[in-house]
Amino acid sequence: MTTRPSTTAEGTATATDTATLATAEAEVRAHFEKNRLAWADTDAYGATFTEDADYVTFFGGRMRGRHEIEEGHRGLFEGVLKGSRLWAAVDSVVLPAPDVALVHARGGVLKGRRTRPSARARSVQTYVMVRGADGEWLIRAFQNTRRRPRVEAFSNWLAGFAPKQR
């Protein structure tokens, strides 16, 4: 867990702040799981997003608002992704403000008997979640980037040739 708790005048986090952050993180992780389990159910999946959510797909497409997210997935869930499941795991949760969470995760679509996504189907994902007036967390923004291990390795190799900063 990575958080930015408020501090006392002495610069230390209070027990209440730490407990509040732990509770908020647990709620965010629970909503993440709710979103994962809602996969392939258009209405349930859409309900995990705010009305004005932004959704960027792994190929760069952008959907604006819950309605576009639902309609953008409806054909997939009734077609090529019918019967699929979502594999996802949280890497980190940061709470930059009490009602805002930044979540980094890994994910991928599972088909058939698979229990882990193939290397070609793995993505790195960023979620921005917000807590509404009702206390419930929803996804305000989602960015899905397809992983390319060979490109990543080549990029890291090239970075080794970059001039050193002085």
Side-chain angles (χ1 to χ4, degrees), residues 5-88:
S6 57
T7 56
T8 65
E10 295 80 34
T12 59
T14 65
T16 302
D17 294 333
T18 302
T20 300
L21 288 170
T23 298
E25 180 178 355
E27 293 169 350
V28 165
R29 287 177 180 271
H31 189 74
F32 179 89
E33 184 66 4
K34 180 179 179 179
N35 173 261
R36 185 188 71 76
L37 293 173
W39 182 258
D41 178 335
T42 302
D43 296 329
Y45 188 70
T48 65
F49 293 87
T50 62
E51 288 292 336
D52 61 346
D54 280 297
Y55 190 110
V56 179
T57 67
F58 71 86
F59 59 84
R62 184 175 177 199
M63 294 175 240
R64 295 174 178 95
R66 180 183 290 163
H67 179 74
E68 279 190 27
I69 293 167
E70 289 171 347
E71 292 311 306
H73 284 82
R74 188 174 312 281
L76 295 171
F77 292 159
E78 293 172 1
V80 68
L81 295 179
K82 186 172 187 155
S84 66
R85 298 161 333 278
L86 190 62
W87 177 87

Side-chain angles (χ1 to χ4, degrees), residues 28 31-32 99-101 103 127-130 137-140:
V28 165
H31 189 74
F32 179 89
D99 296 327
V100 177
V103 179
Y127 297 75
V128 176
M129 294 190 196
V130 294
W137 289 90
L138 292 172
I139 301 165
R140 173 58 181 84

